Amino acid sequence: MSLIKKRKCPECSGEMEAKLINLNYKREGVDLEVEVIGIPANVCARCFYRVIPGKVAKYIDSLVDPLFETEISCKEKLLPSPHVGIQFPFLDRNTYAGL
Ligand SMILES: [Zn+2]
């Protein structure tokens, strides 16, 4: 099963490489921050444009969305908004990269 297919960069048509990346999720008007570590993605070697596979992006959204919903619907501010970290176990390149 290869999540990341070999493809050209949609921005500059440079070579893309399968890599694990980190992303910071933020929403306008909310102080909550979610840092997600170890996301498999295609990264352009030339312009660093990143493409996360649709299914992976959806899955991460489903993890992150409830945190933002909780924060948005929170009426009584007891504590400052937290910085949440989500870390996926390290994936060997062969398990997500197409040859
Ligand atoms: Zn590029």
Side-chain angles (χ1 to χ4, degrees):
M1 179 203 70
S2 65
L3 274 172
I4 310 284
K5 302 217 160 53
K6 197 116 184 101
R7 57 178 288 186
K8 298 274 186 198
C9 175
E11 289 291 301
C12 75
S13 63
E15 291 292 329
M16 296 200 97
E17 201 188 341
K19 274 186 185 168
L20 297 176
I21 64 166
N22 306 334
L23 274 186
N24 238 352
Y25 286 75
K26 288 180 194 167
R27 298 269 167 90
E28 222 176 291
V30 196
D31 290 332
L32 179 78
E33 255 182 63
V34 184
E35 186 183 25
V36 185
I37 294 167
I39 307 166
N42 247 333
V43 182
C44 176
R46 200 190 292 169
C47 74
F48 302 106
Y49 186 80
R50 306 187 286 191
V51 180
I52 299 171
K55 280 181 187 169
V56 173
K58 263 201 183 132
Y59 172 55
I60 294 171
D61 281 346
S62 74
L63 290 172
V64 167
D65 281 347
L67 293 169
F68 281 101
E69 275 157 32
T70 300
E71 195 62 18
I72 289 163
S73 64
C74 178
K75 292 196 176 80
E76 191 189 6
K77 202 85 180 139
L78 295 170
L79 290 167
S81 297
H83 186 168
V84 181
I86 294 175
Q87 183 161 10
F88 289 110
F90 180 80
L91 280 175
D92 190 83
R93 211 177 165 281
N94 297 328
T95 61
Y96 63 88
L99 298 173

